[in-house]
Amino acid sequence: MDVIMALAMAGKLSRSSIVLALLRLLPLFCGILLAPSCVATPDTVPATLLQVKAGFTDPDGVLSGWSPEADVCSWHGVTCLTGDGIAIGLNLSGYGLSGTISPAIAGLVSVESIDLSSNSLAGEIPLELGTMQRLRTLLLHSNFLTGAIPPELGGLKNLKVLRIGNNQLHGEIPPELGNCSQLETIGLAYCQLSGAIPHQIGNLKQLQQLTLDNNALTGGLPEQLAGCSNLRALSVADNKLEGTIPSSFGSLSSLQSLNLANNRFSGEIPAEIGNLSSLTYLNLLGNRLTGGIPEELNQLSQLQVLDLSKNNLSGEISSISASQLKNLKYLVLSENLLEGTIPEGLCNGKGNGNGNGSSSLENILLSGNNLGGDIDALLSCTSLQSIDVSNNSFTGEIPPAIDRLSGLVNLALHNNSFTGVLPPQIGNLSNLEVLSLYHNGLTGGIPSETGRLRRLKLLFLYENEMTGVIPDEITNCTSLEEVDFFGNHFHGPIPEKMGNLKNLAVLQLRQNDLSGPIPASLGMIRLQLAGNRLTGAIPTELGRLTGLKILDLSNNNFSGDIPPELFNCSRLTRLNLEGNSLTGAIPSWLGRLRSLGELDLSSNAFTGRIPVELGDCSGLLKLSLSDNRLSGSIPPEIGILTSLNVLNLQKNGLTGVIPPEIRRCNKLYELRLSENSLEGAIPPELGQLLELQVILDLSQNRLSGEIPASLGNLVKLERLNLSSNGLHGQIPSSLQQLTSLHLLNLSDNLLSGAIPGALSSFPAASFAGNDELCGAPLPRSSSCRAPRRLRLRLLGAEVSVIVAAIAVVSAAVCVALLYIMLRMWSNWRAVSVSISDGEESTASTVAHGKAAKWGARDGKYWKVGSVTSAAEGKYSSTSSETSVLHGKPARAVNSKS
Amino acid sequence: MAPRVALLAGAVVLLLAAGAARASNDEGDALYALRARMSDPNGVLQSWDPTLVNPCTWFHVTCDHASRVVRLDLGNSNISGSIGPELGRLVNLQYLELYRNNIGGEIPKELGNLKNLISLDLYANKLTGSIPKSLSKLKSLRFMRLNNNKLAGSIPRELAKLSNLKVIDLSNNDLCGTIPVEGPFSTFPLRSFENNSRLNGPELQGLVPYDFGC
């Protein structure tokens, strides 16, 4: 038998050199054929061990004492049978070894236990290990071993423990392992194993532990595993296994731990799982299980952890009773389709409200279901440490008796419909670390008792209807790391000692009614106080917040200059001061805030010039200085800001020309320079800003010259406003290429000549106030002298010819001709490039952010067919022609023109 | 057993903390998942901090007044990787601007869930696969520019249902079959479809199957 196997191995190696293979196998033959003489020979063991050592790299020198002079039984890591000097164990675990495992290791035929785990060994597992008949324990886990698991390991008839996981092994699990009839432990987790779990594993009657987590295994769970009657732990989490959970698993009476998490198992949870009376851990999270939670699970009296989250389980949770599951500590049912309420008797079988320690439940996580009702039933679960019922439809109030749960650490009730106040008893939960109540309908104030929560790290109350003053006591919560009160109705000052909270990294107070100064004590990385009524100067102390990345003081009532101390906030990425009453010059030191990505100083009363130093903020994405009193010219350094997406300088007193250098800002999608006193011609270079999309607004300036034809290159542009300037000459026909344009305003200029045909679908208001402009959509009185619409009439004739041609040819249809026809049709269509567009979607979907700055007259300049223009579009016409091929109306050509 | 329970306990705390730090919508998560898929040598996604309440302070992300993500501007950003299905969760998105990058993989069908999308600009990337039929659910879509990619297959007929579509550019791909002629397609110029060597020209209704030559 052994010889046959050795020959089989030789055959396997025949691809390389048989001779070499035989040489490699020499120690094997020694083992197999000459075993009696080899085993006890002290001569061969040291030599073999030194061969094994030669394969290792030993940076720590732990094997330096392995010298032929010393007794092998004294070598580090070698264990001998007491008395007779026979080596039976090799334990080199965690010695920092790298290199490879030499096939010579198989020469250690007397060895019963090999432990090379937790090193950095690479290369393959030597198939020769499969001949070590005395081997009972093989631990190679936590290395960098590659290749497949050698099927030869199936020859290890005495092997009890095989742990070779946490390597980079791939390929399939060899079914031959089913021959190792003594196996008690198989550990193959954290590799890249693929294929199915071999059903032969089910032959292993002694198997107690099967761990296959974190591989890429496919297929189903073999029914045969139910034959492993001694199995205590079965873990196959994080694979790609599918199919149903076999009900036969209910017969695994020794099973203590069953982990099938993060696979693709489907179907219902078999009621037979309830028969696993030894089970302490059941994890089915992240599968595709459906149906209800079987009541039989309540029989699992030893169960400590039950995780059924992230499945498609439905029905009510009344089937679970923590009072029957007396040992249950974790109940995790999040992200399913469960509905109904939390059962009254969850922790108290009788449901009479005096649950005294009848349940061990410490953590209940029910988030992301469709559960409703109140949470009063949880009050009898007196051991609770974590409650997460977020993202459900719970109602009612936060029960004042919540302080009965004195061990509570995490309370997450967010994204529900809780109402009422935050009860002062919350202050008695002295272990509380996370209090997340956001997005509910809570009213009333923050109880001053909250200040007693010395361990509180996270306090999220945002998006509620809470009122009152933020209590000073909150600054006693010295562990606070993140505070978010966004979108409530808090008023009064920010507690002065807020900055004493050394661990506070996030303080979000936006959209409240806070007033008064910003406490100087604050030290943080994000400070967002937008949308309040804060007054006075921007405190110079903010300059001490050198770690500040975001400073948003927008829409308050700050006045005075930007304090020069802010220069110390060199990490600022966003500086939003818009909507205040700030005065003075825009400081040139802003150019030294090199991390700045957004600078919004709009709607203040800044004066002076735009500092050229802003060109040094090379990472700027949005620069908005609009609605101030800035003067002077736009510095050509603006062209250095090549990352710029949005540039808004509108509504100032800027003079001079538009610098042609702006062409280098070729990522601009929004450019607003309107309502200034800019003069000179529109630089043709603007036509190089190919990503302009939201708007190009140069209106209400003193621009002169002609509209550059290059603007026709801006094919993504949706709005173009050049109105109220002194532009003259003809409208370039290239503007007809602006197929994305739906808002055009060229009114109140000195333009002349015919309006290019394709632009006639814009309303007359788009062109009004240009006395010498003529043609549609302007009234007939302004019609041009020269015949202009010849081309379109010809088009009509051409259409009828084609119709006739198609009718005739298709009568005598043949496939070849058909193809030619297709080509003809293409050619015709190439000529008849559409001059009109489809219908506008509703104005509101297009309008976003600052679109409102166009003012109420917006609709006047919308293209024909848009909802807004429909009311006023008295010059527009939407009558249609009959489409050639379809015999039904299509908006193709504007017949008015 | 004990270490496993301890691990789970740790995970629970983390989960709670992370869950609480999230916005009431999961737009930030969806964007962060996109970041995880992208290789970003220029660091344009550096500011995308998942611990923030919402993604509105992230660069290249624009929100409306209700803190809903309406624009994603990552054009010309030298990012590579693929677009994942999670982007379909940005249900308030109006402008998806991912043009001129090295983005590969397929256009996920989940983009069809972006019911408020106005502009889908994926042009000049390395996208493969076919144009998902689900894009026909984008009822607000006005601009669809998928040109200069490696898209194959036929142009889904369902796109003719996009009644608001004003601009389409599918040029410079590897599309095949014929060009729809119904709905908004009755107005698109042929240059929107040029340089698709296997595209056969406009369809003649009822005479040739549209995937003729695919």
Side-chain angles (χ1 to χ4, degrees):
Chain A
M1 183 70 179
D2 287 338
V3 176
I4 291 169
M5 205 175 121
L7 285 176
M9 279 183 213
K12 217 175 163 75
L13 289 167
S14 65
R15 260 181 308 166
S16 52
S17 155
I18 298 241
V19 180
L20 242 172
L22 285 174
L23 276 175
R24 278 181 80 200
L25 289 170
L26 259 182
L28 280 187
F29 284 117
C30 173
I32 295 156
L33 306 173
L34 311 170
S37 57
C38 283
V39 169
T41 311
D43 292 336
T44 61
V45 171
T48 308
L49 279 170
L50 288 173
Q51 265 183 286
V52 172
K53 178 188 171 184
F56 295 148
T57 306
D58 176 19
D60 301 337
V62 287
L63 307 183
S64 56
W66 283 20
S67 104
E69 285 83 51
D71 174 15
V72 74
C73 293
S74 72
W75 288 12
H76 202 73
V78 178
T79 315
C80 290
L81 210 57
T82 40
D84 48 13
I86 297 174
I88 54 162
L90 178 62
N91 181 355
L92 302 176
S93 174
Y95 285 169
L97 301 173
S98 51
T100 58
I101 305 172
S102 165
I105 199 169
L108 301 169
V109 289
S110 60
V111 165
E112 295 173 4
S113 167
I114 294 178
D115 185 356
L116 303 178
S117 63
S118 304
N119 283 295
S120 304
L121 298 170
E124 303 200 359
I125 297 174
L127 55 90
E128 292 80 357
L129 282 173
T131 63
M132 300 183 71
Q133 287 304 310
R134 299 195 176 212
L135 206 58
R136 296 155 72 89
T137 303
L138 179 59
L139 308 181
L140 304 177
H141 60 272
S142 305
N143 279 292
F144 299 108
L145 299 171
T146 53
I149 301 171
E152 287 78 2
L153 295 187
L156 297 170
K157 298 287 181 256
N158 287 307
L159 196 65
K160 283 182 186 292
V161 180
L162 175 65
R163 294 184 60 195
I164 55 179
N166 195 15
N167 277 298
Q168 290 156 17
L169 302 172
H170 54 80
E172 303 200 358
I173 300 172
E176 288 81 353
L177 289 185
N179 300 335
C180 304
S181 54
Q182 298 301 309
L183 264 177
E184 293 173 359
T185 299
I186 298 180
L188 301 177
Y190 290 92
C191 285
Q192 286 131 41
L193 299 171
S194 53
I197 301 173
H199 64 81
Q200 289 85 344
I201 301 283
N203 302 339
L204 301 171
K205 301 294 171 212
Q206 307 300 321
L207 196 65
Q208 295 177 12
Q209 193 167 351
L210 178 59
T211 310
L212 307 175
D213 312 54
N214 276 281
N215 280 293
L217 298 171
T218 51
L221 278 175
E223 289 270 357
Q224 288 86 342
L225 290 185
C228 303
S229 50
N230 283 303
L231 203 59
R232 291 181 189 171
L234 172 59
S235 188
V236 297
D238 296 287
N239 278 291
K240 297 171 182 170
L241 296 168
E242 58 192 15
T244 56
I245 302 171
S247 54
S248 57
F249 278 21
S251 65
L252 292 167
S253 56
S254 303
L255 202 63
Q256 295 171 2
S257 172
L258 177 60
N259 187 354
L260 309 182
N262 295 318
N263 278 290
R264 296 164 185 176
F265 291 115
S266 54
E268 300 200 6
I269 301 172
E272 289 80 357
I273 296 287
N275 300 337
L276 300 171
S277 55
S278 307
L279 207 61
T280 60
Y281 181 91
L282 176 58
N283 189 348
L284 306 179
L285 96 89
N287 280 291
R288 296 163 186 180
L289 299 169
T290 52
I293 301 170
E295 221 171 294
E296 288 79 0
L297 295 188
N298 282 324
Q299 301 162 19
L300 300 172
S301 58
Q302 302 298 316
L303 200 63
Q304 294 175 13
V305 176
L306 175 59
D307 190 341
L308 307 179
S309 57
K310 293 190 181 179
N311 279 291
N312 299 318
L313 298 172
S314 53
E316 306 211 354
I317 56 173
S318 52
S319 47
I320 293 290
S321 162
S323 54
Q324 286 189 54
L325 299 167
K326 286 199 188 311
N327 289 297
L328 194 67
K329 292 191 164 116
Y330 282 85
L331 177 59
V332 188
L333 306 175
S334 313
E335 295 182 57
N336 277 293
L337 308 169
L338 299 167
E339 53 196 16
T341 58
I342 299 177
E344 192 69 19
L346 177 70
C347 291
N348 177 344
K350 298 187 182 92
N352 57 9
N354 65 351
N356 280 328
S358 63
S359 99
S360 314
L361 197 62
E362 292 174 358
N363 300 279
I364 183 163
L365 311 180
L366 305 175
S367 65
N369 281 292
N370 303 322
L371 298 166
D374 60 41
I375 55 167
D376 295 358
L378 294 179
L379 296 182
S380 39
C381 307
T382 49
S383 305
L384 274 176
Q385 295 171 6
S386 289
I387 295 177
D388 183 358
V389 298
S390 61
N391 298 299
N392 277 292
S393 306
F394 285 106
T395 53
E397 304 197 353
I398 300 173
I402 189 93
D403 60 350
R404 282 165 62 183
L405 306 178
S406 57
L408 209 57
V409 176
N410 299 300
L411 179 58
L413 309 181
H414 54 266
N415 286 329
N416 279 293
S417 302
F418 288 107
T419 50
V421 301
L422 179 58
Q425 287 85 347
I426 200 88
N428 297 333
L429 297 172
S430 57
N431 292 301
L432 203 61
E433 292 179 10
V434 172
L435 181 56
S436 180
L437 306 178
Y438 64 83
H439 205 81
N440 277 293
L442 298 175
T443 51
I446 301 174
S448 58
E449 288 82 355
T450 309
R452 293 165 55 196
L453 301 173
R454 301 297 160 88
R455 296 191 179 173
L456 195 64
K457 291 178 179 167
L458 242 66
L459 178 56
F460 285 165
L461 303 179
Y462 63 90
E463 292 174 5
N464 276 293
E465 303 292 331
M466 297 181 75
T467 51
V469 175
I470 300 173
D472 282 332
E473 286 84 352
I474 205 157
T475 58
N476 297 333
C477 304
T478 47
S479 303
L480 273 176
E481 294 171 5
E482 298 190 35
V483 171
D484 196 333
F485 295 162
F486 164 83
N488 280 287
H489 308 293
F490 294 120
H491 64 85
I494 301 167
E496 200 180 337
K497 291 182 184 163
M498 210 66 184
N500 295 359
L501 299 170
K502 293 293 171 237
N503 298 312
L504 196 63
V506 175
L507 175 61
Q508 173 69 272
L509 301 175
R510 277 177 58 209
Q511 291 184 30
N512 278 289
D513 301 317
L514 299 171
S515 53
I518 297 174
S521 58
L522 290 169
M524 50 193 62
I525 55 175
R526 293 186 284 269
L527 180 58
Q528 295 173 270
L529 300 168
N532 281 291
R533 291 182 218 150
L534 301 168
T535 55
I538 297 176
T540 55
E541 290 86 351
L542 284 179
R544 293 191 210 143
L545 307 179
T546 52
L548 206 60
K549 287 185 173 172
I550 297 178
L551 178 58
D552 183 356
L553 304 179
S554 59
N555 299 311
N556 279 289
N557 203 14
F558 287 110
S559 52
D561 290 5
I562 300 179
E565 287 81 1
L566 278 189
F567 164 63
N568 295 321
C569 306
S570 57
R571 294 188 186 172
L572 274 178
T573 61
R574 300 176 80 104
L575 179 56
N576 300 71
L577 304 178
E578 79 268 21
N580 283 289
S581 306
L582 298 168
T583 51
I586 295 177
S588 59
W589 53 257
L590 284 175
R592 283 187 274 171
L593 302 178
R594 298 295 162 84
S595 303
L596 217 50
E598 182 168 334
L599 177 60
D600 193 343
L601 306 180
S602 57
S603 301
N604 279 289
F606 289 112
T607 49
R609 306 170 75 93
I610 299 174
V612 295
E613 289 84 356
L614 281 186
D616 297 337
C617 302
S618 56
L620 263 185
L621 301 170
K622 293 190 183 179
L623 174 59
S624 184
L625 307 177
S626 65
D627 194 10
N628 278 291
R629 295 170 198 164
L630 301 173
S631 54
S633 57
I634 301 173
E637 284 79 1
I638 205 87
I640 306 172
L641 302 175
T642 52
S643 301
L644 215 52
N645 288 149
V646 176
L647 176 60
N648 186 354
L649 305 178
Q650 74 182 16
K651 234 175 157 183
N652 277 291
L654 299 171
T655 52
V657 300
I658 299 173
E661 288 82 0
I662 208 166
R663 73 175 189 280
R664 297 177 54 204
C665 307
N666 59 7
K667 291 185 181 174
L668 277 175
Y669 65 75
E670 181 174 336
L671 177 56
R672 297 174 193 264
L673 305 177
S674 56
E675 296 182 68
N676 281 292
S677 302
L678 300 170
E679 54 203 24
I682 298 175
E685 287 84 354
L686 286 186
Q688 296 175 31
L689 301 174
L690 295 181
E691 307 302 344
L692 272 179
Q693 182 178 39
V694 172
I695 193 169
L696 171 59
D697 188 356
L698 307 179
S699 64
Q700 300 188 58
N701 277 292
R702 295 174 191 164
L703 299 169
S704 54
E706 300 196 358
I707 299 174
S710 62
L711 294 191
N713 298 333
L714 307 176
V715 291
K716 288 177 76 176
L717 195 63
E718 298 176 18
R719 300 182 188 90
L720 175 62
N721 190 353
L722 306 178
S723 65
S724 302
N725 278 293
L727 301 171
H728 62 81
Q730 296 208 342
I731 299 173
S733 66
S734 63
L735 293 194
Q736 298 181 103
Q737 300 162 22
L738 301 177
T739 48
S740 304
L741 205 63
H742 57 76
L743 210 152
L744 174 68
N745 191 353
L746 304 179
S747 64
D748 298 315
N749 277 294
L750 306 168
L751 299 167
S752 58
I755 296 172
L759 299 181
S760 62
S761 52
F762 288 98
S766 294
F767 307 98
N770 290 283
D771 291 344
E772 294 183 36
L773 215 47
C774 64
L778 294 172
R780 282 189 188 281
S781 59
S782 65
S783 62
C784 304
R785 276 161 298 170
R788 295 173 300 105
R789 292 288 169 254
L790 193 59
R791 199 176 66 86
L792 280 171
R793 291 189 205 291
L794 271 181
L795 200 69
E798 202 172 344
V799 165
S800 23
V801 169
I802 300 265
V803 171
I806 286 168
V808 170
V809 175
S810 54
V813 69
C814 85
V815 174
L817 278 180
L818 196 65
Y819 188 74
I820 293 167
M821 273 259 321
L822 274 164
R823 284 291 169 214
M824 282 175 60
W825 170 226
S826 322
N827 292 339
W828 175 79
R829 280 177 58 89
V831 176
S832 68
V833 167
S834 147
I835 60 162
S836 182
D837 292 287
E839 217 154 313
E840 211 36 90
S841 63
T842 61
S844 62
T845 61
V846 179
H848 76 69
K850 298 180 175 170
K853 290 193 179 168
W854 272 74
R857 299 171 300 139
D858 254 4
K860 255 168 102 175
Y861 309 104
W862 286 66
K863 202 170 199 172
V864 169
S866 93
V867 172
T868 37
S869 70
E872 314 176 58
K874 47 192 165 193
Y875 300 118
S876 68
S877 164
T878 52
S879 57
S880 55
E881 274 191 356
T882 300
S883 175
V884 183
L885 287 173
H886 312 143
K888 65 183 181 192
R891 278 174 303 279
V893 181
N894 189 331
S895 68
K896 178 98 181 195
S897 42
Chain B
M1 187 59 50
R4 190 182 285 142
V5 171
L7 252 177
L8 189 73
V12 165
V13 173
L14 276 177
L15 192 135
L16 277 167
R22 262 194 327 244
S24 50
N25 54 60
D26 67 351
E27 293 178 330
D29 293 351
L31 286 169
Y32 199 69
L34 176 74
R35 177 185 176 169
R37 288 173 179 279
M38 291 294 167
S39 155
D40 175 24
N42 297 2
V44 298
L45 306 178
Q46 231 168 16
S47 67
W48 289 21
D49 177 352
T51 65
L52 291 177
V53 172
N54 62 44
C56 298
T57 57
W58 296 2
F59 288 148
H60 309 286
V61 174
T62 307
C63 292
D64 63 6
H65 291 299
S67 300
R68 298 175 302 193
V69 176
V70 293
R71 278 194 81 104
L72 179 58
D73 286 284
L74 291 170
N76 248 321
S77 297
N78 197 22
I79 50 175
S80 53
S82 61
I83 309 171
E86 58 278 346
L87 220 49
R89 297 186 346 229
L90 299 173
V91 289
N92 301 298
L93 198 66
Q94 298 179 2
Y95 287 82
L96 178 55
E97 306 291 323
L98 301 178
Y99 56 85
R100 292 190 212 289
N101 284 300
N102 298 309
I103 299 171
E106 303 200 356
I107 302 175
K109 62 177 188 308
E110 288 79 3
L111 291 194
N113 300 334
L114 303 175
K115 57 182 191 297
N116 289 304
L117 200 67
I118 292 171
S119 178
L120 176 61
D121 282 330
L122 307 179
Y123 56 91
N125 277 294
K126 293 175 178 166
L127 295 168
T128 55
S130 54
I131 302 172
K133 281 180 193 153
S134 62
L135 296 188
S136 64
K137 295 191 290 179
L138 302 172
K139 293 301 173 208
S140 307
L141 197 69
R142 298 163 55 90
F143 311 105
M144 180 193 286
R145 304 182 185 94
L146 309 178
N147 48 295
N148 296 75
N149 279 294
K150 296 172 184 171
L151 297 169
S154 52
I155 303 171
R157 263 32 195 176
E158 291 82 355
L159 294 186
K161 291 190 290 190
L162 293 172
S163 56
N164 285 314
L165 198 63
K166 286 181 54 165
V167 172
I168 194 166
D169 195 343
L170 304 178
S171 62
N172 295 295
N173 277 295
D174 190 25
L175 299 168
C176 57
T178 58
I179 303 168
V181 293
E182 294 205 292
F185 284 85
S186 63
T187 63
F188 298 139
L190 273 189
R191 65 168 180 276
S192 299
F193 308 97
E194 68 191 6
N195 285 327
N196 285 283
S197 54
R198 300 190 292 140
L199 205 55
N200 289 319
E203 139 184 76
L204 286 177
Q205 291 239 307
L207 295 174
V208 191
Y210 76 84
D211 52 358
F212 175 70
C214 271

